[in-house]
Structure formats: C-alpha cells, structure tokens
Amino acid sequence: MINENGTKGIGKVIFSSSLGTLIEWYDFYIFGMLAKTISTQFFPDGNETAALLSTLAIFAAGFLVRPFGALVFGRLGDLIGRKYTFLLTLVLMGGSTFLIGLVPSYKAIGIAAPLLVLLLRLIQGLALGGEYGGAATYVAEHAPAHRRGYFTAWIQTTATLGLFVALGVIMAVKNNMSDADFNKEWGGWRYPFWISILLVGVSIYIRLKMNESPVFAKLKAEKKTSVNPLKESFGHRSNFKMVLLALFGAVMGQGVIWYTGQFYAQSFLENTVKIEFMQNREILLWAIGLATPFFLVFGALSDKIGRKWIMLTGMLLGVVFYRPIFGELLKSADAKEWMAKDEGRLYIKIEGKENPLIQKRDTIERNKRGFTELQYSTKTWGLSSGIRFTENVVDTFYYYDSESGFNNMRYLAHDKNPTYNDKILTSPTKWKFIFLIWVMIIFVTMVYGPIAAFLVELFPTKIRYTSMSLPYHIGNGVFGGLVPFIATLLTATFTADPLVGLWYPIGVAALCFVIGALYLSNKIDKKIDD
C-alpha cells in the first residue's frame, strides 16, 4: 500500500528513477543538439539544407517509434514489474548512443553510415518509449496522494535537465578545441556520445538496488496482475476512451509546447536567427536553468487546484505568444539594421586570414577579351556596440585583357542579399534572448509539470504502465517530436515568412486546448492503488 501521509524513502525513489531517466533524455537529445554537425558527417556534400532536413528526419524517426516502445515495454512493465523493465530500457538507450559515436562517416562507408545511424536511432526511440512510463508510474506509486503532483514533477524535470546536461557537455567539449577539431570526422562532436556509457553505468548500478513499486508488488502477491495488458488497455471501450482523451485533450498539446519552447527554439536561433554556436547554447542553458524549478512549482500547485487548467493555460499562452516571441528574436538580431545604425563598423582579422576571405571563385562567362567571375567571400564584422558577425556575399567581377594578361578588373555587381551568420550579441541583447526563451520554457513547465500525475490517475494499476505510456509517447514522440522537422521544412518551403513553421505547434496546441477544456475533468484521484 502507498503511505498516504508519509514520505519516508521517497527521496531515494525519486533520485534513482530520475537519474536514469535524465541520462536517457541526455542520450536522446545530444543527436538533435548536434544535428548541424552530424548532417555534414553522415550525408554527402553539396546541399546543406537537404542534409540538415535528412538529419532532422532521422532525429524524428526516433520519436516516431516511441509509441511502439511504449507498447512493448509497457506490456512488460505490467507483466513483470516496473524495476526490471526500465532497467532494460536504460541499457538499450546507453548502448545505442555509444555506438552512434562509433559509426564512420559517409565519406568512409557511404550510404551505410546514415542507415546505421537510423537503426541506432530507432533503438533509442524504442527504449525511451518504455522508460518514461515506468519511471513516472514507479514514483507515483510510492508517493502520498496529497503530494503526487509535486513528487512526480521531479520526473518531469528530467527531460529538460537532460537537455541541459547535453548542452553543457557539448559546450565543455567545444570550448576546449578549435572548430576544425570539433567538426572533423573523428572529432570532438563524438565525445558526448562516448561519455554516455559512463553515465549509464552509474545509473544501472543505482537502479539494481531499487525495490519494486509497493503497489505493483501487492498486486502481484495477490495474483491480480493483468494477463494481457494490451487487450485490457485498448480492447475495453471505457479504457480506450480514456487513452484517446489523454492523447487529444492533454498530451498532444503538451508535446508541441515542450518541443517548441526548448528544442525548436534552439534550432531557430541556430539556423534562422544565426546566433553563434556557443552563445546559442549559452542562452538556452541560462533559460533552462532558471525555468526548471517551475516544474516543481506547478506540480505542487496541481495538488491543490487540479491538473487540468494549469496544463491548458500553458497551451493557450503558447498559442497566443509564440509568433510575437519568435518574431522579436528575429528582429533583435537583424544584421542589416545593426549595420545601418552603426557607422563604427570595421573588419576583424581572424587567425591572421585576409578579410574579406575569398572562399570560392566560379567563372560564369568567358570570351577572347576576358571573363566574368563570381567571388564567394566571407567578411567578419565588428561593430562599435560590441556585436560581431560574419557576412557571406557573392560579388560579380569582370576581368579583361591587358598587356600583362587578364589582370584588369571591373566591379560589376555587389550581392544585394548577403547572408549573416555566427552573430555574437551584446550582453543586454543576450539577456533579452534568455528572458524570451525562459518565458517559453515557463509555458513548458505549466503543461509538463502536472502531466505525470494526471496520466497516472487516469488508469488502474494493473494496466497503468501500458495505458499511460502510449498516449504520452504519441503526443510527445509524434506530435511533439515532429516539431523541429515540420517547422524547418515549412520554413524552407515557404521562405517569405520565417515564422511559418510555428503554425504547426500553434494549430496542434489550439486544438488540444479546445478538446481538453470541453472534456477533461479537473478532479484529483486520490486512490490509485487498485
């Protein structure tokens, strides 16, 4: 039985469950955090956008199989127990992450490289599909009823903290080597994958010392465990109705809010706003660190006022404020506007190279008197305000005949649409960005903090692992996990509006809000040990 009033031993339960879950999220997210670098390693050269989209598609594939992992491991968890099931998922996740770091590049083994990465990514997705439901169920079945939202919220912090640790490890590695050493075939980008095996080893040791959930142990002793969890979860109309309601009235919206506020925000800053690699990660690290305690705040609040309206309010805030917030991020880093306002700009020499640095020359027209050439060059600018960035331009020159050869030059056309990259913001602007990302992560804490308690309370003990895992992983793995890919694809397709990718999470969250407002109950189920 659950101790309804006391919390003896709950700290150890939370630590043991949360550490392993955090490490699994770390394993899952380092791939996405390094998507741009990975795209150059496992796909052929020539089209950066296509390579990035292919990498994001492999990243999304891991999400798409999460519901299958939920079915496989959820069934095991309801048959043999919570402890050994999510011990198995941890081993699978850690092993596949380590092996991704050992896959040779496309240049070395060709098409086998992305195929191997895809296979390992699918194993990661299956493992994660079984992890979360087990950890959330395990903690909930130990927690006293009047603090279930608060204690399960500790599990909810692990996804964001896993992202935080992934960012921190990547930054620590990157900060100790040059860009060339980090991005080369067997470079520093592989280290975060290899480090995973050490973290997993520690977590396995801790989890081996855990006891089975008291609620499940009691059910097993009384021989009341489910014989066929899948059939009981989805074959009974009343229970299947709750699965659908959980998915479309809560988890679907929660999933897109989570991945937009954290994961797509990082991708948007890197690929659309073009913030420099390290400063981009620094912004996200600060925002995550400052927002993470609010998972516990909203989890605890849900014990007092219910889960429903906290989660739905977070969704509604995302629907209303996403486009204004992302628009402000884009506007605040407009390099053309910076240059128009700042007359104190100057070239900055980098590592002794010429500035502008000519990257490539293409001859597009030639005749007896001369030839026309495109020059692709990179200019590194520093402004008196302290801002730095690079400007990539394509200029047109005409070289014509003289007594000493084709060395007379006429400047024909300057690039009217240069691209600006590696932007380094001033301190006030950086903190403005941190605040805006923090606001979006607060939306995340509102929808995600109470949701474990909400899902646990919907389903009976004997099929809880299976029943709560499936809607969670469809909502997060499919609807949420596809946010970076679909948003990036929409942005690449409809180039006139850089914010067009946001319509996907906004639409899903709005629909979920309506369904949840109409059909979800705000009742807190105190008794779950049945």
Side-chain angles (χ1 to χ4, degrees):
M1 294 288 289
I2 299 175
N3 182 352
E4 294 295 336
N5 299 306
T7 58
K8 184 179 179 181
I10 192 69
K12 182 179 178 182
V13 168
I14 290 172
F15 177 76
S16 302
S17 303
S18 299
L19 180 63
T21 308
L22 184 153
I23 290 168
E24 288 214 34
W25 284 116
Y26 164 85
D27 288 347
F28 201 69
Y29 286 134
I30 51 175
F31 189 96
M33 291 289 99
L34 293 168
K36 198 167 183 179
T37 301
I38 288 171
S39 69
T40 65
Q41 298 294 330
F42 296 126
F43 292 95
D45 298 332
N47 189 328
E48 289 185 9
T49 301
L52 179 60
L53 282 170
S54 298
T55 304
L56 289 174
I58 289 180
F59 180 64
F63 288 94
L64 293 175
V65 299
R66 277 170 58 177
F68 298 100
L71 292 175
V72 172
F73 294 108
R75 179 177 180 274
L76 281 175
D78 284 328
L79 287 173
I80 67 172
R82 291 37 169 146
K83 171 184 172 179
Y84 290 105
T85 301
F86 62 56
L87 189 61
L88 176 60
T89 64
L90 185 63
V91 172
L92 288 173
M93 175 65 85
S96 55
T97 302
F98 179 74
L99 290 174
I100 287 176
L102 296 178
V103 175
S105 69
Y106 184 91
K107 291 179 181 177
I109 61 173
I111 193 65
L115 291 177
L116 284 171
V117 172
L118 175 60
L119 175 63
L120 293 168
R121 184 69 186 160
L122 292 175
I123 295 173
Q124 282 188 321
L126 289 171
L128 191 60
E131 167 65 26
Y132 172 81
T137 299
Y138 187 79
V139 171
E141 290 177 350
H142 279 83
H146 66 290
R147 301 191 70 190
R148 190 177 297 129
Y150 171 72
F151 285 124
T152 55
W154 284 94
I155 288 292
Q156 303 309 99
T157 67
T158 59
T160 294
L161 289 176
L163 187 62
F164 182 90
V165 173
L167 284 166
V169 169
I170 290 167
M171 288 180 68
V173 172
K174 179 75 167 57
N175 204 38
N176 286 286
M177 60 181 65
S178 66
D179 287 349
D181 286 338
F182 184 81
N183 292 312
K184 67 185 181 183
E185 182 177 352
W186 290 95
W189 67 270
R190 293 182 183 267
Y191 294 1
F193 291 95
W194 297 340
I195 289 169
S196 167
I197 204 72
L198 301 175
L199 301 176
V200 168
V202 171
S203 186
I204 288 172
Y205 174 77
I206 292 171
R207 282 197 173 178
L208 283 170
K209 295 181 175 296
M210 294 166 61
N211 296 316
E212 184 54 82
S213 152
V215 176
F216 184 82
K218 175 176 177 288
L219 207 67
K220 195 170 184 179
E222 295 172 352
K223 301 188 184 304
K224 292 181 180 179
T225 55
S226 174
V227 176
N228 191 337
L230 292 177
K231 183 178 180 180
E232 291 188 44
S233 293
F234 312 117
H236 295 175
R237 184 175 179 181
S238 60
N239 199 66
F240 187 58
K241 179 182 174 182
M242 298 309 294
V243 169
L244 293 178
L245 183 57
L247 172 59
F248 294 109
V251 188
M252 176 176 75
Q254 172 260 301
V256 296
I257 294 293
W258 199 101
Y259 284 95
T260 303
Q262 296 179 124
F263 221 94
Y264 182 61
Q266 184 265 326
S267 177
F268 184 83
L269 289 181
E270 182 169 12
N271 299 309
T272 304
V273 184
K274 307 289 187 181
I275 302 298
E276 185 265 341
F277 183 96
M278 291 294 282
Q279 191 173 70
N280 178 9
R281 272 70 181 174
E282 181 189 354
I283 289 168
L284 207 61
L285 273 175
W286 274 107
I288 289 172
L290 293 170
T292 294
F294 287 88
F295 284 106
L296 306 178
V297 170
F298 289 115
L301 184 61
S302 76
D303 285 326
K304 300 182 184 303
I305 67 172
R307 329 291 186 199
K308 172 181 174 177
W309 289 110
I310 297 174
M311 296 188 298
L312 294 184
T313 300
M315 292 179 209
L316 184 61
L317 289 172
V319 169
V320 173
F321 289 107
Y322 273 160
R323 282 185 66 91
I325 289 174
F326 277 87
E328 187 60 32
L329 291 171
L330 199 58
K331 179 183 175 183
S332 298
D334 186 340
K336 286 185 178 180
E337 188 173 317
W338 289 339
M339 294 181 77
K341 290 180 178 179
D342 195 327
E343 296 299 327
R345 60 183 182 268
L346 50 86
Y347 287 151
I348 297 177
K349 284 199 171 186
I350 305 296
E351 297 173 359
K353 297 176 182 176
E354 290 298 321
N355 194 353
L357 176 65
I358 297 175
Q359 306 280 7
K360 187 174 68 169
R361 300 173 186 263
D362 282 341
T363 300
I364 58 173
E365 186 179 341
R366 183 183 293 273
N367 55 42
K368 292 181 179 179
R369 301 185 61 182
F371 59 90
T372 303
E373 179 181 88
L374 298 179
Q375 287 188 7
Y376 299 81
S377 60
T378 299
K379 302 173 184 177
T380 302
W381 291 98
L383 307 187
S384 59
S385 61
I387 292 170
R388 280 178 55 174
F389 58 91
T390 60
E391 180 185 23
N392 297 318
V393 297
V394 184
D395 292 327
T396 308
F397 295 88
Y398 178 62
Y399 291 85
Y400 55 95
D401 196 5
S402 71
E403 292 181 0
S404 57
F406 294 116
N407 58 1
N408 286 341
M409 180 187 74
R410 188 163 74 245
Y411 193 21
L412 295 184
H414 176 64
D415 191 347
K416 294 182 180 179
N417 295 296
T419 59
Y420 301 96
N421 299 296
D422 296 327
K423 300 172 185 174
I424 298 178
L425 307 172
T426 60
S427 184
T429 306
K430 180 185 75 174
W431 280 101
K432 177 181 178 180
F433 273 49
I434 290 170
F435 172 74
L436 291 172
I437 302 297
W438 176 84
V439 168
M440 291 194 289
I441 300 177
I442 292 298
F443 303 163
V444 173
T445 65
M446 294 178 74
V447 296
Y448 201 56
I451 203 155
F454 166 79
L455 290 172
V456 163
E457 291 166 352
L458 278 181
F459 305 106
T461 302
K462 65 179 182 178
I463 56 170
R464 182 172 292 135
Y465 200 148
T466 305
S467 296
M468 73 169 286
S469 292
L470 185 66
Y472 175 83
H473 286 292
I474 292 177
N476 282 272
V478 178
F479 289 100
L482 287 176
V483 167
F485 176 73
I486 292 178
T488 303
L489 180 62
L490 287 172
T491 304
T493 305
F494 304 99
T495 56
D497 180 8
L499 303 181
V500 68
L502 293 171
W503 286 118
Y504 168 69
I506 287 173
V508 172
L511 177 61
C512 189
F513 174 83
V514 172
I515 295 171
L518 292 175
Y519 297 109
L520 286 185
S521 168
N522 198 40
K523 177 177 175 289
I524 300 174
D525 188 354
K526 299 289 187 182
K527 185 176 174 62
I528 65 167
D529 56 338
D530 56 348

